[in-house]
């Protein structure tokens, strides 16, 4: 699954922190959304990653294996 936006992108110095609990670039919110999402995806034996370019946007890739 791909999720993309055309927002401002993620600065290089913030990329290592993006999945950290309580990290946010916003003045409101708790900064747990991406950390919680990553934990849920990894608990399902999946992976989440992203590519971002400042001024162009960000694309998150989520891979979750099929269960038979």
């Amino acid at each position: 699954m791909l999720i993309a936006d055309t927002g401002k992108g993620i600065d290089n110095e913030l990329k290592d922190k993006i999945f950290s609990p309580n990290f946010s670039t916003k003045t409101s919110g708790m900064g747990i959304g991406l950390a919680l999402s990553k934990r849920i995806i990894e608990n399902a034996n999946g992976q989440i990653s992203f590519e971002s370019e400042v001024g162009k946007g960000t694309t998150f890739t989520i891979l979750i294996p099929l269960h038979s």
Side-chain angles (χ1 to χ4, degrees), residues 5-49:
D5 69 25
T6 55
K8 66 179 185 174
I10 301 169
D11 293 327
N12 285 333
E13 60 269 7
L14 300 178
K15 288 182 178 180
D16 289 339
K17 301 176 185 178
I18 201 74
F19 292 112
S20 298
N22 304 314
F23 175 77
S24 179
T25 59
K26 299 178 182 180
T27 57
S28 64
M30 298 176 61
I32 61 170
L34 285 173
L36 183 59
S37 296
K38 182 177 183 192
R39 180 176 291 171
I40 291 168
I41 291 164
E42 288 178 346
N43 283 342
N45 295 317
Q47 300 173 352
I48 183 170
S49 60

mmCIF file of all heavy atoms in Angstrom, residues 5-49:
data_model
loop_
_atom_site.group_PDB
_atom_site.id
_atom_site.type_symbol
_atom_site.label_atom_id
_atom_site.label_comp_id
_atom_site.label_asym_id
_atom_site.label_seq_id
_atom_site.Cartn_x
_atom_site.Cartn_y
_atom_site.Cartn_z
ATOM 1 N N ASP A 5 1.476 12.223 -0.247
ATOM 2 C CA ASP A 5 0.939 13.572 -0.222
ATOM 3 C C ASP A 5 1.829 14.490 -1.048
ATOM 4 O O ASP A 5 2.895 14.090 -1.501
ATOM 5 C CB ASP A 5 0.783 14.099 1.205
ATOM 6 C CG ASP A 5 2.109 14.366 1.920
ATOM 7 O OD1 ASP A 5 3.128 14.611 1.253
ATOM 8 O OD2 ASP A 5 2.123 14.338 3.155
ATOM 9 N N THR A 6 1.375 15.674 -1.248
ATOM 10 C CA THR A 6 2.159 16.674 -1.983
ATOM 11 C C THR A 6 2.440 17.862 -1.070
ATOM 12 O O THR A 6 2.450 18.998 -1.497
ATOM 13 C CB THR A 6 1.415 17.147 -3.248
ATOM 14 O OG1 THR A 6 0.120 17.631 -2.861
ATOM 15 C CG2 THR A 6 1.256 16.011 -4.244
ATOM 16 N N GLY A 7 2.678 17.563 0.196
ATOM 17 C CA GLY A 7 2.941 18.594 1.200
ATOM 18 C C GLY A 7 4.363 19.103 1.132
ATOM 19 O O GLY A 7 5.048 18.986 0.120
ATOM 20 N N LYS A 8 4.825 19.638 2.257
ATOM 21 C CA LYS A 8 6.149 20.271 2.296
ATOM 22 C C LYS A 8 7.303 19.281 2.389
ATOM 23 O O LYS A 8 8.458 19.648 2.236
ATOM 24 C CB LYS A 8 6.224 21.270 3.443
ATOM 25 C CG LYS A 8 6.133 20.658 4.813
ATOM 26 C CD LYS A 8 6.230 21.721 5.885
ATOM 27 C CE LYS A 8 6.256 21.085 7.257
ATOM 28 N NZ LYS A 8 6.495 22.058 8.302
ATOM 29 N N GLY A 9 7.013 18.010 2.647
ATOM 30 C CA GLY A 9 8.075 17.007 2.760
ATOM 31 C C GLY A 9 8.686 16.998 4.148
ATOM 32 O O GLY A 9 8.328 17.793 5.009
ATOM 33 N N ILE A 10 9.622 16.095 4.368
ATOM 34 C CA ILE A 10 10.274 15.927 5.663
ATOM 35 C C ILE A 10 11.739 16.291 5.521
ATOM 36 O O ILE A 10 12.447 15.734 4.682
ATOM 37 C CB ILE A 10 10.129 14.468 6.158
ATOM 38 C CG1 ILE A 10 8.643 14.104 6.283
ATOM 39 C CG2 ILE A 10 10.855 14.260 7.485
ATOM 40 C CD1 ILE A 10 8.390 12.630 6.494
ATOM 41 N N ASP A 11 12.191 17.230 6.346
ATOM 42 C CA ASP A 11 13.594 17.644 6.325
ATOM 43 C C ASP A 11 14.507 16.468 6.661
ATOM 44 O O ASP A 11 14.162 15.623 7.497
ATOM 45 C CB ASP A 11 13.847 18.768 7.328
ATOM 46 C CG ASP A 11 13.147 20.059 6.952
ATOM 47 O OD1 ASP A 11 13.007 20.334 5.752
ATOM 48 O OD2 ASP A 11 12.752 20.795 7.880
ATOM 49 N N ASN A 12 15.670 16.418 6.033
ATOM 50 C CA ASN A 12 16.612 15.313 6.247
ATOM 51 C C ASN A 12 16.968 15.113 7.712
ATOM 52 O O ASN A 12 17.092 13.980 8.163
ATOM 53 C CB ASN A 12 17.889 15.526 5.423
ATOM 54 C CG ASN A 12 17.670 15.236 3.959
ATOM 55 O OD1 ASN A 12 16.815 14.448 3.589
ATOM 56 N ND2 ASN A 12 18.441 15.884 3.109
ATOM 57 N N GLU A 13 17.124 16.191 8.474
ATOM 58 C CA GLU A 13 17.528 16.054 9.874
ATOM 59 C C GLU A 13 16.411 15.485 10.751
ATOM 60 O O GLU A 13 16.657 15.085 11.882
ATOM 61 C CB GLU A 13 18.033 17.376 10.456
ATOM 62 C CG GLU A 13 17.035 18.496 10.447
ATOM 63 C CD GLU A 13 17.074 19.356 9.195
ATOM 64 O OE1 GLU A 13 17.793 19.017 8.237
ATOM 65 O OE2 GLU A 13 16.361 20.362 9.176
ATOM 66 N N LEU A 14 15.192 15.408 10.243
ATOM 67 C CA LEU A 14 14.075 14.861 11.007
ATOM 68 C C LEU A 14 13.745 13.416 10.640
ATOM 69 O O LEU A 14 12.988 12.757 11.343
ATOM 70 C CB LEU A 14 12.821 15.719 10.797
ATOM 71 C CG LEU A 14 12.931 17.180 11.207
ATOM 72 C CD1 LEU A 14 11.632 17.911 10.906
ATOM 73 C CD2 LEU A 14 13.293 17.305 12.680
ATOM 74 N N LYS A 15 14.302 12.913 9.563
ATOM 75 C CA LYS A 15 13.939 11.587 9.062
ATOM 76 C C LYS A 15 14.219 10.469 10.058
ATOM 77 O O LYS A 15 13.464 9.504 10.127
ATOM 78 C CB LYS A 15 14.633 11.303 7.726
ATOM 79 C CG LYS A 15 14.043 12.128 6.597
ATOM 80 C CD LYS A 15 14.692 11.815 5.277
ATOM 81 C CE LYS A 15 14.033 12.624 4.166
ATOM 82 N NZ LYS A 15 14.632 12.344 2.865
ATOM 83 N N ASP A 16 15.265 10.579 10.859
ATOM 84 C CA ASP A 16 15.575 9.532 11.839
ATOM 85 C C ASP A 16 14.611 9.535 13.021
ATOM 86 O O ASP A 16 14.536 8.566 13.763
ATOM 87 C CB ASP A 16 17.003 9.695 12.363
ATOM 88 C CG ASP A 16 18.047 9.346 11.317
ATOM 89 O OD1 ASP A 16 17.719 8.627 10.352
ATOM 90 O OD2 ASP A 16 19.199 9.804 11.459
ATOM 91 N N LYS A 17 13.884 10.623 13.213
ATOM 92 C CA LYS A 17 12.996 10.762 14.367
ATOM 93 C C LYS A 17 11.535 10.501 14.038
ATOM 94 O O LYS A 17 10.703 10.426 14.941
ATOM 95 C CB LYS A 17 13.108 12.189 14.919
ATOM 96 C CG LYS A 17 14.493 12.568 15.356
ATOM 97 C CD LYS A 17 14.517 14.021 15.782
ATOM 98 C CE LYS A 17 15.936 14.465 16.104
ATOM 99 N NZ LYS A 17 15.990 15.867 16.466
ATOM 100 N N ILE A 18 11.198 10.358 12.785
ATOM 101 C CA ILE A 18 9.812 10.379 12.341
ATOM 102 C C ILE A 18 8.943 9.297 12.985
ATOM 103 O O ILE A 18 7.753 9.504 13.216
ATOM 104 C CB ILE A 18 9.737 10.319 10.790
ATOM 105 C CG1 ILE A 18 8.401 10.842 10.303
ATOM 106 C CG2 ILE A 18 10.013 8.942 10.266
ATOM 107 C CD1 ILE A 18 8.262 12.312 10.383
ATOM 108 N N PHE A 19 9.509 8.141 13.338
ATOM 109 C CA PHE A 19 8.737 7.066 13.960
ATOM 110 C C PHE A 19 8.912 7.027 15.483
ATOM 111 O O PHE A 19 8.441 6.103 16.137
ATOM 112 C CB PHE A 19 9.126 5.708 13.364
ATOM 113 C CG PHE A 19 8.710 5.542 11.923
ATOM 114 C CD1 PHE A 19 9.663 5.475 10.926
ATOM 115 C CD2 PHE A 19 7.370 5.454 11.568
ATOM 116 C CE1 PHE A 19 9.293 5.315 9.597
ATOM 117 C CE2 PHE A 19 6.987 5.295 10.249
ATOM 118 C CZ PHE A 19 7.951 5.231 9.256
ATOM 119 N N SER A 20 9.569 8.017 16.060
ATOM 120 C CA SER A 20 9.795 8.060 17.506
ATOM 121 C C SER A 20 8.529 8.498 18.237
ATOM 122 O O SER A 20 7.852 9.435 17.802
ATOM 123 C CB SER A 20 10.920 9.035 17.843
ATOM 124 O OG SER A 20 12.122 8.633 17.258
ATOM 125 N N PRO A 21 8.212 7.839 19.358
ATOM 126 C CA PRO A 21 7.059 8.265 20.155
ATOM 127 C C PRO A 21 7.241 9.707 20.641
ATOM 128 O O PRO A 21 8.351 10.127 20.962
ATOM 129 C CB PRO A 21 7.058 7.303 21.342
ATOM 130 C CG PRO A 21 7.853 6.128 20.891
ATOM 131 C CD PRO A 21 8.863 6.660 19.920
ATOM 132 N N ASN A 22 6.159 10.440 20.675
ATOM 133 C CA ASN A 22 6.121 11.824 21.149
ATOM 134 C C ASN A 22 6.856 12.808 20.257
ATOM 135 O O ASN A 22 7.117 13.936 20.668
ATOM 136 C CB ASN A 22 6.636 11.936 22.589
ATOM 137 C CG ASN A 22 5.870 11.040 23.533
ATOM 138 O OD1 ASN A 22 4.646 10.993 23.506
ATOM 139 N ND2 ASN A 22 6.583 10.292 24.335
ATOM 140 N N PHE A 23 7.197 12.410 19.040
ATOM 141 C CA PHE A 23 7.834 13.337 18.103
ATOM 142 C C PHE A 23 6.782 13.944 17.193
ATOM 143 O O PHE A 23 5.960 13.238 16.609
ATOM 144 C CB PHE A 23 8.896 12.647 17.250
ATOM 145 C CG PHE A 23 9.467 13.565 16.204
ATOM 146 C CD1 PHE A 23 10.387 14.529 16.559
ATOM 147 C CD2 PHE A 23 9.045 13.494 14.897
ATOM 148 C CE1 PHE A 23 10.898 15.400 15.614
ATOM 149 C CE2 PHE A 23 9.547 14.351 13.935
ATOM 150 C CZ PHE A 23 10.475 15.311 14.293
ATOM 151 N N SER A 24 6.811 15.251 17.087
ATOM 152 C CA SER A 24 5.888 15.952 16.201
ATOM 153 C C SER A 24 6.511 17.266 15.765
ATOM 154 O O SER A 24 7.280 17.872 16.505
ATOM 155 C CB SER A 24 4.553 16.223 16.906
ATOM 156 O OG SER A 24 3.684 16.915 16.029
ATOM 157 N N THR A 25 6.184 17.691 14.575
ATOM 158 C CA THR A 25 6.604 19.010 14.108
ATOM 159 C C THR A 25 5.461 20.011 14.253
ATOM 160 O O THR A 25 5.616 21.170 13.919
ATOM 161 C CB THR A 25 7.039 18.959 12.630
ATOM 162 O OG1 THR A 25 5.938 18.499 11.839
ATOM 163 C CG2 THR A 25 8.240 18.044 12.450
ATOM 164 N N LYS A 26 4.333 19.533 14.766
ATOM 165 C CA LYS A 26 3.155 20.376 14.935
ATOM 166 C C LYS A 26 3.073 20.887 16.365
ATOM 167 O O LYS A 26 3.652 20.308 17.284
ATOM 168 C CB LYS A 26 1.889 19.593 14.584
ATOM 169 C CG LYS A 26 1.877 19.111 13.150
ATOM 170 C CD LYS A 26 0.645 18.297 12.864
ATOM 171 C CE LYS A 26 0.680 17.795 11.433
ATOM 172 N NZ LYS A 26 -0.494 16.993 11.115
ATOM 173 N N THR A 27 2.326 21.963 16.559
ATOM 174 C CA THR A 27 2.181 22.534 17.901
ATOM 175 C C THR A 27 1.096 21.833 18.705
ATOM 176 O O THR A 27 1.029 21.993 19.914
ATOM 177 C CB THR A 27 1.853 24.035 17.811
ATOM 178 O OG1 THR A 27 0.671 24.202 17.027
ATOM 179 C CG2 THR A 27 3.002 24.804 17.178
ATOM 180 N N SER A 28 0.242 21.056 18.048
ATOM 181 C CA SER A 28 -0.790 20.314 18.764
ATOM 182 C C SER A 28 -0.629 18.824 18.463
ATOM 183 O O SER A 28 0.070 18.439 17.535
ATOM 184 C CB SER A 28 -2.182 20.790 18.350
ATOM 185 O OG SER A 28 -2.402 20.515 16.987
ATOM 186 N N GLY A 29 -1.287 18.014 19.252
ATOM 187 C CA GLY A 29 -1.183 16.577 19.069
ATOM 188 C C GLY A 29 -0.116 15.990 19.973
ATOM 189 O O GLY A 29 0.675 16.700 20.579
ATOM 190 N N MET A 30 -0.104 14.658 20.034
ATOM 191 C CA MET A 30 0.798 13.969 20.947
ATOM 192 C C MET A 30 1.992 13.339 20.253
ATOM 193 O O MET A 30 2.899 12.854 20.915
ATOM 194 C CB MET A 30 0.025 12.917 21.728
ATOM 195 C CG MET A 30 -1.075 13.515 22.585
ATOM 196 S SD MET A 30 -2.071 12.291 23.419
ATOM 197 C CE MET A 30 -0.868 11.455 24.418
ATOM 198 N N GLY A 31 1.995 13.279 18.940
ATOM 199 C CA GLY A 31 3.126 12.704 18.229
ATOM 200 C C GLY A 31 3.250 11.201 18.361
ATOM 201 O O GLY A 31 4.354 10.655 18.355
ATOM 202 N N ILE A 32 2.125 10.516 18.484
ATOM 203 C CA ILE A 32 2.188 9.055 18.638
ATOM 204 C C ILE A 32 1.672 8.306 17.411
ATOM 205 O O ILE A 32 1.798 7.091 17.343
ATOM 206 C CB ILE A 32 1.433 8.579 19.895
ATOM 207 C CG1 ILE A 32 -0.044 8.942 19.836
ATOM 208 C CG2 ILE A 32 2.086 9.117 21.149
ATOM 209 C CD1 ILE A 32 -0.875 8.294 20.911
ATOM 210 N N GLY A 33 1.111 9.002 16.458
ATOM 211 C CA GLY A 33 0.472 8.362 15.308
ATOM 212 C C GLY A 33 1.386 7.455 14.509
ATOM 213 O O GLY A 33 1.073 6.282 14.291
ATOM 214 N N LEU A 34 2.524 7.967 14.057
ATOM 215 C CA LEU A 34 3.424 7.149 13.249
ATOM 216 C C LEU A 34 4.121 6.076 14.082
ATOM 217 O O LEU A 34 4.341 4.966 13.597
ATOM 218 C CB LEU A 34 4.448 8.014 12.526
ATOM 219 C CG LEU A 34 3.904 8.774 11.327
ATOM 220 C CD1 LEU A 34 4.957 9.734 10.783
ATOM 221 C CD2 LEU A 34 3.450 7.818 10.239
ATOM 222 N N ALA A 35 4.447 6.386 15.336
ATOM 223 C CA ALA A 35 5.074 5.381 16.205
ATOM 224 C C ALA A 35 4.110 4.221 16.444
ATOM 225 O O ALA A 35 4.500 3.049 16.363
ATOM 226 C CB ALA A 35 5.489 6.015 17.532
ATOM 227 N N LEU A 36 2.853 4.526 16.700
ATOM 228 C CA LEU A 36 1.851 3.497 16.922
ATOM 229 C C LEU A 36 1.580 2.708 15.645
ATOM 230 O O LEU A 36 1.500 1.472 15.666
ATOM 231 C CB LEU A 36 0.556 4.125 17.433
ATOM 232 C CG LEU A 36 -0.578 3.188 17.782
ATOM 233 C CD1 LEU A 36 -0.163 2.197 18.862
ATOM 234 C CD2 LEU A 36 -1.787 3.984 18.231
ATOM 235 N N SER A 37 1.492 3.398 14.534
ATOM 236 C CA SER A 37 1.280 2.723 13.248
ATOM 237 C C SER A 37 2.416 1.755 12.948
ATOM 238 O O SER A 37 2.182 0.618 12.524
ATOM 239 C CB SER A 37 1.178 3.748 12.114
ATOM 240 O OG SER A 37 0.049 4.565 12.298
ATOM 241 N N LYS A 38 3.649 2.194 13.179
ATOM 242 C CA LYS A 38 4.800 1.333 12.919
ATOM 243 C C LYS A 38 4.748 0.087 13.799
ATOM 244 O O LYS A 38 4.987 -1.027 13.330
ATOM 245 C CB LYS A 38 6.102 2.091 13.157
ATOM 246 C CG LYS A 38 7.320 1.251 12.850
ATOM 247 C CD LYS A 38 8.604 2.017 13.024
ATOM 248 C CE LYS A 38 9.756 1.118 12.621
ATOM 249 N NZ LYS A 38 11.034 1.625 12.983
ATOM 250 N N ARG A 39 4.403 0.263 15.062
ATOM 251 C CA ARG A 39 4.334 -0.880 15.980
ATOM 252 C C ARG A 39 3.269 -1.874 15.527
ATOM 253 O O ARG A 39 3.496 -3.091 15.525
ATOM 254 C CB ARG A 39 4.043 -0.417 17.403
ATOM 255 C CG ARG A 39 3.959 -1.591 18.378
ATOM 256 C CD ARG A 39 3.763 -1.169 19.783
ATOM 257 N NE ARG A 39 4.977 -0.517 20.234
ATOM 258 C CZ ARG A 39 5.070 0.123 21.391
ATOM 259 N NH1 ARG A 39 4.031 0.206 22.186
ATOM 260 N NH2 ARG A 39 6.211 0.669 21.750
ATOM 261 N N ILE A 40 2.100 -1.385 15.135
ATOM 262 C CA ILE A 40 1.025 -2.266 14.681
ATOM 263 C C ILE A 40 1.443 -3.024 13.426
ATOM 264 O O ILE A 40 1.237 -4.236 13.314
ATOM 265 C CB ILE A 40 -0.267 -1.451 14.435
ATOM 266 C CG1 ILE A 40 -0.821 -0.944 15.770
ATOM 267 C CG2 ILE A 40 -1.302 -2.281 13.678
ATOM 268 C CD1 ILE A 40 -1.904 0.097 15.629
ATOM 269 N N ILE A 41 2.030 -2.322 12.482
ATOM 270 C CA ILE A 41 2.457 -2.949 11.223
ATOM 271 C C ILE A 41 3.534 -3.992 11.482
ATOM 272 O O ILE A 41 3.483 -5.106 10.943
ATOM 273 C CB ILE A 41 2.933 -1.868 10.234
ATOM 274 C CG1 ILE A 41 1.726 -1.026 9.787
ATOM 275 C CG2 ILE A 41 3.657 -2.479 9.044
ATOM 276 C CD1 ILE A 41 2.096 0.286 9.124
ATOM 277 N N GLU A 42 4.517 -3.673 12.316
ATOM 278 C CA GLU A 42 5.589 -4.628 12.613
ATOM 279 C C GLU A 42 5.071 -5.824 13.407
ATOM 280 O O GLU A 42 5.567 -6.937 13.230
ATOM 281 C CB GLU A 42 6.741 -3.930 13.322
ATOM 282 C CG GLU A 42 7.513 -3.015 12.383
ATOM 283 C CD GLU A 42 8.652 -2.260 13.040
ATOM 284 O OE1 GLU A 42 8.726 -2.216 14.295
ATOM 285 O OE2 GLU A 42 9.463 -1.684 12.298
ATOM 286 N N ASN A 43 4.072 -5.620 14.257
ATOM 287 C CA ASN A 43 3.474 -6.749 14.992
ATOM 288 C C ASN A 43 2.742 -7.700 14.057
ATOM 289 O O ASN A 43 2.526 -8.866 14.400
ATOM 290 C CB ASN A 43 2.541 -6.253 16.095
ATOM 291 C CG ASN A 43 3.290 -5.759 17.315
ATOM 292 O OD1 ASN A 43 4.472 -6.069 17.497
ATOM 293 N ND2 ASN A 43 2.630 -4.987 18.142
ATOM 294 N N ALA A 44 2.357 -7.209 12.890
ATOM 295 C CA ALA A 44 1.726 -8.047 11.869
ATOM 296 C C ALA A 44 2.765 -8.580 10.885
ATOM 297 O O ALA A 44 2.428 -9.007 9.791
ATOM 298 C CB ALA A 44 0.658 -7.242 11.126
ATOM 299 N N ASN A 45 4.046 -8.549 11.299
ATOM 300 C CA ASN A 45 5.175 -8.982 10.466
ATOM 301 C C ASN A 45 5.302 -8.164 9.180
ATOM 302 O O ASN A 45 5.753 -8.665 8.156
ATOM 303 C CB ASN A 45 5.096 -10.476 10.150
ATOM 304 C CG ASN A 45 5.249 -11.313 11.390
ATOM 305 O OD1 ASN A 45 6.096 -11.029 12.229
ATOM 306 N ND2 ASN A 45 4.427 -12.319 11.528
ATOM 307 N N GLY A 46 4.881 -6.907 9.255
ATOM 308 C CA GLY A 46 4.973 -6.016 8.107
ATOM 309 C C GLY A 46 6.108 -5.019 8.241
ATOM 310 O O GLY A 46 6.884 -5.056 9.198
ATOM 311 N N GLN A 47 6.163 -4.143 7.268
ATOM 312 C CA GLN A 47 7.200 -3.108 7.231
ATOM 313 C C GLN A 47 6.561 -1.795 6.790
ATOM 314 O O GLN A 47 5.629 -1.786 5.982
ATOM 315 C CB GLN A 47 8.288 -3.455 6.227
ATOM 316 C CG GLN A 47 9.017 -4.732 6.497
ATOM 317 C CD GLN A 47 9.961 -5.086 5.354
ATOM 318 O OE1 GLN A 47 9.967 -4.466 4.300
ATOM 319 N NE2 GLN A 47 10.759 -6.113 5.565
ATOM 320 N N ILE A 48 7.079 -0.689 7.317
ATOM 321 C CA ILE A 48 6.685 0.632 6.866
ATOM 322 C C ILE A 48 7.954 1.423 6.596
ATOM 323 O O ILE A 48 8.920 1.351 7.359
ATOM 324 C CB ILE A 48 5.766 1.355 7.879
ATOM 325 C CG1 ILE A 48 5.325 2.722 7.325
ATOM 326 C CG2 ILE A 48 6.407 1.470 9.238
ATOM 327 C CD1 ILE A 48 4.232 3.393 8.134
ATOM 328 N N SER A 49 7.952 2.142 5.488
ATOM 329 C CA SER A 49 9.093 2.987 5.138
ATOM 330 C C SER A 49 8.550 4.217 4.422
ATOM 331 O O SER A 49 7.358 4.296 4.119
ATOM 332 C CB SER A 49 10.073 2.226 4.234
ATOM 333 O OG SER A 49 9.426 1.837 3.039
#
